[in-house]
Amino acid sequence: MTFAQTAGLGAVAGLTILVGLPVARIGRPRPSRMAFLTAGSVGVLIFLFYDVIKNASQTITGALDQSRAQGIGYGLLLAAGIGAGLMGLVVFERLMKRRRPRVHPGPGAMAAAALDMPPAPATSAAGTGSRRTPLSDAARVALFIAVGIGLHNFSEGLAIGQSGATGAYQLFLVLVIGFGLHNVTEGLGITGPMIGERPSWRFLGLLGIIGGGPTFVGTLIGYQFTSAALSVLFLALAAGAILYVIGELQHVGRKIGAHDIGMLGLLTGFLLAYGTDLVLHAAGA
């Protein structure tokens, strides 16, 4: 398969994440529904964390079978990448808070719903107001989710590019279709924190590029050369970022309440993501 064909299909597989993003523009739901959708995002992310660690571990154990030194090196790379992905967002969060003006536009629709208050006006960069105002708390969490998923999707793009370059066409098509379907659920995971805020289409498009664009970039790189170390590194960075976001969403969930509905959403999100992965596996990927 030519480089242009591989790149085009890699882009399609990544940008299907845009299908799930418009959910964030629905009207402000009741707290119970908000709790369900937020916890559903956590469920999707929990599965992604499991999937990331599983794939990285397969590379590490395979390297250990061939060279103990190389396997240990990959293991250390995994640990360092998780730490960098997690603490990098912690540092970025602190910098964002220092630059945030003292006159805050509001806690965002989700926290407002938890406190039984009217939603904050759409004055954040995610809404329709001034570009100079900071992101709302919910939009900021969604941005972090997109970053974590984008790092994960980069490694998926590497697999697509490598299969296209080696002529494994059946595997290539399965990967494109499977990862494309899987990215739809990831789009739902990104938008969960912003339900009720009605973010702008421009901001949703930005989230889609951050979350799905790395699939295309990974495809381009994967077509040119193979690097197990690069794959492990980006999987590790994704794992660290996902861990941070899960912690943030748990904090949001506690503010909303409706714990029993939230647990149902958590289970639904996990099973939805796991089910799409099983379909991909059954198809031969």
Side-chain angles (χ1 to χ4, degrees), residues 175-221:
L175 289 175
V176 169
I177 295 172
F179 289 151
L181 291 174
H182 202 69
N183 281 342
V184 175
T185 64
E186 293 174 352
L188 297 174
I190 291 173
T191 57
M194 295 189 297
I195 297 297
E197 286 204 347
R198 295 184 64 83
S200 68
W201 290 110
R202 179 180 297 179
F203 186 67
L204 290 179
L206 175 64
L207 294 178
I209 293 174
I210 293 173
T215 306
F216 172 70
V217 177
T219 300
L220 300 181
I221 295 176

Side-chain angles (χ1 to χ4, degrees), residues 249-265:
L249 287 177
Q250 285 180 327
H251 179 65
V252 171
R254 283 192 295 269
K255 288 184 177 181
I256 297 173
H259 182 72
D260 51 345
I261 302 298
M263 289 300 100
L264 181 61

Side-chain angles (χ1 to χ4, degrees), residues 55-67:
N55 290 333
S57 297
Q58 288 175 350
T59 302
I60 293 171
T61 53
L64 281 171
D65 292 337
Q66 298 179 359
S67 169

